[in-house]
Amino acid sequence: VFTKVGGIWRTSESETTKDTKLTDVHLRGFFGRWDFLLDHHNERALALYLDKNWRLNVTGAPDGPQEVTAPIFVSQVRQGRGQTKLLEHRRDILSIKLDTKPNTAVVECRETTSRRFKDRKITIVERTTDSIALRNETLLILKSASKVEKFENVLAPKP
């Protein structure tokens, strides 16, 4: 279900989560949906989950530290469509810290992603931290951080 909140289109969580608190199960389900959308380069649907002030701070990347805003992230996802082929993406949720008063959570994960780009295989292992909020039936990612633990860019074997 989609609703317009503050002039911005958002997803509306099901009636079962209306006026309830975030749970471990709810967040695991959300990340399953998020990863599916990301793996399939669905930038428009991903944008529905990003707070208008969302930022991704990346450290440990070969190009140095980066701050990625929502419009840049959406553009990068769009550009990846057709240019890269997903080989593997795995998310291991390491911890979920719930705060019931503002109905927020902090989720820490380790992600491994391998993509083929032209004749290269790029593998990234990163530790991610996402701050999530459930506001008026809308699940939003407020801010994100990524610490790249491993970056490998090698010549890919012929398919």
Side-chain angles (χ1 to χ4, degrees):
V1 178
F2 300 99
T3 57
K4 203 166 195 177
V5 178
I8 300 171
W9 284 101
R10 297 285 181 206
T11 62
S12 180
E13 297 299 306
S14 71
E15 286 295 317
T16 59
T17 58
K18 185 177 181 179
D19 299 322
T20 63
K21 304 297 179 199
L22 288 173
T23 65
D24 184 278
V25 171
H26 187 97
L27 288 164
R28 288 178 188 278
F30 164 73
F31 275 107
R33 294 190 310 270
W34 175 264
D35 289 343
F36 178 86
L37 295 171
L38 187 60
D39 293 348
H40 291 85
H41 301 278
N42 193 331
E43 76 276 359
R44 290 184 180 136
L46 290 167
L48 296 173
Y49 291 110
L50 299 176
D51 182 70
K52 65 180 180 179
N53 296 315
W54 177 84
R55 298 277 190 279
L56 166 63
N57 289 302
V58 180
T59 59
D63 298 338
Q66 302 170 32
E67 181 180 78
V68 180
T69 62
I72 292 170
F73 174 77
V74 167
S75 176
Q76 289 173 341
V77 172
R78 182 182 311 115
Q79 288 173 355
R81 188 184 319 126
Q83 292 184 14
T84 65
K85 178 183 178 192
L86 179 68
L87 302 174
E88 173 195 11
H89 179 225
R90 188 180 76 242
R91 176 188 300 271
D92 298 316
I93 296 179
L94 304 175
S95 73
I96 297 175
K97 297 175 185 141
L98 300 167
D99 188 346
T100 57
K101 294 201 182 203
N103 213 6
T104 60
V106 175
V107 181
E108 292 187 22
C109 303
R110 175 163 285 119
E111 293 184 66
T112 303
T113 307
S114 292
R115 293 188 180 277
R116 182 183 203 98
F117 177 72
K118 297 182 181 176
D119 64 343
R120 310 297 297 178
K121 178 183 176 189
I122 300 168
T123 301
I124 301 171
V125 178
E126 58 188 323
R127 187 170 184 135
T128 59
T129 304
D130 295 287
S131 296
I132 312 283
L134 183 60
R135 295 185 181 153
N136 302 320
E137 300 178 49
T138 301
L139 197 64
L140 293 173
I141 303 177
L142 304 176
K143 64 180 178 177
S144 302
S146 169
K147 180 174 184 341
V148 176
E149 296 178 338
K150 176 184 173 187
F151 182 90
E152 188 175 77
N153 184 346
V154 298
L155 190 61
K158 301 265 183 199

